[in-house]
Amino acid sequence: MRKIIVYSLFLMALGFFSCVENPKVIEQKKPRIFPEYSVVLDEIIRTKDGVIRGIDLNSKADIITKTETKSPSEVEHDYLYFEYAIDSITNYSVAYNLQKDSLDEVEVQINCNDLDLSARLFTDLKTYYEKKLPNPTEDKGFVVYNCFEGQRKPFVVSLTDNSTPNMGIINLVIYRDK
């Protein structure tokens, strides 16, 4: 009799625990910032505000560190360096060069193991900045955009495809026009 009670309690406990439903994890898709371009551009450019990543030239270091999503990999006087991995084949770095705590230059390097994706990213960046800063000049693999309009101080955006046969490498440099 005692064995029957123990077994029946065991079966009831087993039945009870098997009925507990694990909550389903629902992935919420982030709204796209640049739906007309590759998803990777959403990660690299991040927002339509500022010259890049919501940051303008002349910004202070504390604004940069608050805007970035993680702590810098390197911090030196007037220099901040961040590294990000987008996925298993694409990563990028962002280096902020300051002068007297005022952002003077932003260097972005994108590395991609997929040459087709790298070519698409280069084209997307080129198109994005053409729409934002018209009349680029192209020379020897460099695409240069100049901004002299509005309230902003003049700045230059330089885009280069430095890909090798094995690795896609795109460099984007934004700096004050002197």
Side-chain angles (χ1 to χ4, degrees):
M1 179 76 163
R2 193 170 198 204
K3 286 184 179 181
I4 294 174
I5 294 174
V6 170
Y7 284 123
S8 61
L9 286 174
F10 175 73
L11 287 175
M12 284 179 25
L14 188 63
F16 176 74
F17 287 113
S18 67
C19 291
V20 175
E21 187 177 328
N22 293 333
K24 294 180 182 175
V25 177
I26 300 171
E27 257 187 67
Q28 292 185 2
K29 287 189 176 184
K30 286 178 19 180
R32 293 285 317 273
I33 300 163
F34 305 106
E36 65 271 27
Y37 304 113
S38 167
V39 192
V40 176
L41 222 65
D42 286 359
E43 172 66 27
I44 296 168
I45 303 291
R46 289 216 180 129
T47 176
K48 294 178 182 181
D49 300 330
V51 291
I52 190 166
R53 304 172 75 75
I55 298 170
D56 280 311
L57 295 175
N58 300 319
S59 295
K60 296 188 176 295
D62 63 330
I63 291 184
I64 295 167
T65 52
K66 286 177 188 172
T67 305
E68 287 295 336
T69 57
K70 65 186 226 177
S71 298
S73 305
E74 289 180 38
V75 178
E76 293 178 21
H77 178 69
D78 283 344
Y79 180 77
L80 299 169
Y81 180 79
F82 297 84
E83 291 179 324
Y84 295 93
I86 295 174
D87 52 34
S88 62
I89 60 169
T90 310
N91 65 64
Y92 68 100
S93 61
V94 184
Y96 296 98
N97 296 298
L98 300 101
Q99 284 189 355
K100 298 178 185 171
D101 199 33
S102 177
L103 182 60
D104 189 55
E105 179 182 78
V106 181
E107 297 175 52
V108 178
Q109 180 169 318
I110 306 162
N111 304 307
C112 184
N113 292 331
D114 181 340
L115 293 175
D116 292 332
L117 176 58
S118 179
R120 179 166 179 221
L121 284 173
F122 183 77
T123 303
D124 283 353
L125 283 164
K126 201 170 145 181
T127 305
Y128 172 76
Y129 280 106
E130 278 174 10
K131 288 180 180 177
K132 194 168 182 158
L133 307 167
N135 304 320
T137 4
E138 289 191 49
D139 187 31
K140 298 179 184 172
F142 286 86
V143 183
V144 179
Y145 308 85
N146 292 295
C147 175
F148 300 105
E149 303 166 359
Q151 299 291 336
R152 293 183 181 176
K153 292 186 178 180
F155 67 93
V156 176
V157 175
S158 174
L159 181 62
T160 317
D161 187 347
N162 293 315
S163 296
T164 67
N166 300 326
M167 172 74 82
I169 302 169
I170 300 168
N171 293 94
L172 172 68
V173 182
I174 302 169
Y175 57 94
R176 281 189 258 198
D177 195 12
K178 301 186 172 145

